[in-house]
Amino acid sequence: MFRKFKYIVPIAFAGLVLSACSKNGFDINVDPNNPSTLPVENLLVGIEADIAGQNTLGGVSGSLEVLMHRITQREEPNAYVLTTGGGIPGLMWNEYYVSTFTNADIIIDKATTDNNFRYRGIAKIIKAFAASQLVDLYGDVPYSEASKLFTSNIRNPKFDDDATIYPKLYTLLNEGIADLQNPAVNKRNPAADDVIYQGNVTKWVRAANTQKLKMYTQERKIRNVSAEVTALLANPAGLISSTADNFQLNYSADNKNPGVAVYSAAQRGEDISPWFYEIMKGYNQNIFTGLTDPRIPYYWYNQLKPGQTATNDNNTTEYRDGAFVSIYFASNGPSVGFSQQNTTSVVGIYPGGGKYDNGAGAPINVLSATGAVPGRMITYADRLYLQAELINAGVVTGDARAVLLAAITESFKQVDNAVTLSGTGAPLVSPLATTTSYIAGVMAQYDAAPPATATATKKLEIIMTQKWISSFGSAISAYTDYRRTGFPILFDPNNPVMAPGGKVQPPINGNPTVTPQLAVPVSINRPFPISILWPSSELDGNPNAPKQKEPSTYKVFWMQ
C-alpha cells in the first residue's frame, strides 16, 4: 500500500512537532525540545528527504498517480473519491508544515547567525519548492504566517491568497541563489549532509532557476511571462542541463525509495492502470497508435509468464493481456475485488527500484527489489518538455520539434540513470534499436499533426503525453500539467467512446486461459478534482482557516 498518515497534525501545533525520527530512511536526529540548538547539517538531511519522499510513490505522488491514470486501486482516490481525512489531503500537508517549513526556517535563522550562507541558500530553495507544491495542489494555503510559533507566537496562521504566494517564492529563490553565490567565507559548507547535490553550488543554482522556469510556465495562461522565461532560456548553463543535474535524491539499497513498499506489502493494493498500459503498448487509437514503448519492462514487472494461470483465473482477472494483469479505474465489475497478490503486475525498476521484467515471471517479495533509484523532483527531461511547451504556445521562439526530440531522448537516459543506480544489472534502454524506432515513430506522429489551427493543439498533446509517460512515479507536476493544459487525455468511464454502454473491453484474447475476456462495467458520479481538499484537522483546529472547498470547481490561481 502507498503510505498514508493515520493522523494529520494541524498547523496550529506544527511548530511544536519537529521531525525527530527517520525520514524515508534518513536519520536526522532532531531534538524537538531544543530546536534552536540543532546543527544545520542535521536538519538539512531531513528537509531534503521530506520533499523527495513526497515526490515518490510512497508520498502524495503515489495517490495522485490514481488521478493521473497511471495507477489503479480499489480505495480512495478510485473513482475520484476524496475525503477530508483521507490520504491525499494530509500526506503533503502534514509533512511540509510539521517538518519541512519549520526545520527550513530554523536552518535559515541559524545559518544567518553562524554565517553559513550556503546552508541558508539551500534551505530557501527547498522551502520555495515545497511551498510551490502546496499552492499547486491546494490553492490558498498558509505561507506568510506558517511556522511562526517560535518567532512570533502565531498558532493559527491565516491562509494566503495563492496568487500572492508565487511572487514571494520567486523572491525566495533569488535570495537562495544569492546566498549560494555569496563570496563571504562560510563557517562550514554542506557536503555529504546535502543528500541531493553534496554541496555543489552550481547544481543548486540550476535547480532554483529551473524551478522558476517551471512556475513561470504554469502561469503562462494568466499573464505574459515571455520576458522571464526568455531570459532563463537564454542562459541554458544556468538551468538543469544534464541528467547529472537532475533535482532528485538518489536512494540506496540501505535507504530505499519509498515507492518500493509494494514489494513488502501484506496486500498489494496498487495496479498499473490499463489506460497507461494501452498507451504505452500502442493500443490507444488517439495517440501513439501502433508504437510499443521500449520502457515497458522498466516501468512495470509482470509476476506471470505470458501463458501462466493466474491466482483466480476462472475469469476473475479483470484485465489481462498475456503476462499483464490489472484492474480498471472506477470498476464495478465482479472480478475487481478478487486478490491477485502474486499475479498482478507491479511497479518496476524505474519508478520505485523494483524488478526489471525479463519475461521470466515469478512472485515478488521484499528481496526482489533494491529500491536504489532516484526520487525525482525536477529533471533535465522536465526542463526540455517545459521549453517545448513554451515554444509551441508561442511564449518563446525556437524549434519545438528539436526540443521535443531532445526531451524524449533524455527521458530514456533518465531510465538508464535509474537502472545504473539500481545495481540490478538490467540492460540500458537508450542503446536499443527499438528505442530508436519508437522515438522516430513518435516524431513522425508529431510531424503528421493535423493542419491549420489544430496543429498546435495536437502537437501540445504529444508533448504533454510524452512528459506524462516520462514522469511516471512523480505525479505532482503531472497533475498540475493536466489541469493547466488538458493533456494527456485521461480515461473517462462516462465517455461513450471510451466506455460504450458503461463498459470497457479488455483485450478479448488477452487471457490465455479464459477466452473471451468479458467487458467490465465502470462508472463515476464525481467530477475530476481540480484541486485537493484542505485537511479536516486543519479546518477544525485553525479558526483562521476557510470553509472547505468543492474540489471539482475550486481553481488554483494559474488555471484559466
Side-chain angles (χ1 to χ4, degrees), residues 78-158:
N78 181 43
Y80 304 140
V81 174
L82 301 177
T83 61
T84 57
I88 288 184
L91 274 170
M92 177 181 285
W93 190 279
N94 193 54
E95 186 143 52
Y96 278 8
Y97 280 116
V98 172
S99 175
T100 312
F101 275 19
T102 303
N103 290 335
D105 283 344
I106 292 172
I107 292 174
I108 292 167
D109 291 343
K110 190 167 180 59
T112 300
T113 302
D114 295 342
N115 293 327
N116 285 327
F117 300 108
R118 292 186 179 178
Y119 280 98
R120 188 171 70 179
I122 292 172
K124 288 178 178 178
I125 293 168
I126 289 173
K127 183 177 180 179
F129 176 79
S132 71
Q133 290 197 320
L134 287 166
V135 170
D136 293 343
L137 292 192
Y138 298 96
D140 293 353
V141 294
Y143 178 73
S144 60
E145 294 182 351
S147 64
K148 298 296 183 183
L149 176 61
F150 292 131
T151 57
S152 304
N153 199 33
I154 296 175
R155 297 177 178 272
N156 298 298
K158 68 177 183 180

Side-chain angles (χ1 to χ4, degrees), residues 118-248:
R118 292 186 179 178
Y119 280 98
R120 188 171 70 179
I122 292 172
K124 288 178 178 178
I125 293 168
I126 289 173
K127 183 177 180 179
F129 176 79
S132 71
Q133 290 197 320
L134 287 166
V135 170
D136 293 343
L137 292 192
Y138 298 96
D140 293 353
V141 294
Y143 178 73
S144 60
E145 294 182 351
S147 64
K148 298 296 183 183
L149 176 61
F150 292 131
T151 57
S152 304
N153 199 33
I154 296 175
R155 297 177 178 272
N156 298 298
K158 68 177 183 180
F159 279 54
D160 295 87
D161 184 324
D162 54 355
T164 69
I165 298 176
Y166 258 41
K168 297 173 183 177
L169 302 185
Y170 292 125
T171 298
L172 191 61
L173 287 165
N174 288 332
E175 289 176 0
I177 292 170
D179 282 340
L180 288 166
Q181 296 176 334
N182 190 325
V185 176
N186 285 263
K187 183 177 180 180
R188 83 181 300 276
N189 291 318
D193 51 326
D194 171 12
V195 292
I196 294 177
Y197 286 133
Q198 294 73 52
N200 188 309
V201 168
T202 300
K203 291 183 177 182
W204 272 110
V205 171
R206 289 171 177 167
N209 282 327
T210 309
Q211 170 67 9
K212 288 191 288 182
L213 179 71
K214 176 179 181 292
M215 292 165 60
Y216 285 130
T217 304
Q218 291 171 185
E219 291 188 276
R220 71 173 175 84
K221 288 190 173 183
I222 62 160
R223 71 182 183 96
N224 187 347
V225 296
S226 179
E228 290 90 340
V229 296
T230 298
L232 287 167
L233 291 169
N235 180 26
L239 298 168
I240 293 174
S241 52
S242 70
T243 311
D245 287 342
N246 284 354
F247 186 42
Q248 63 187 31

Side-chain angles (χ1 to χ4, degrees), residues 490-501:
L490 301 178
F491 175 59
D492 180 1
N494 291 338
N495 184 315
V497 176
M498 296 180 184

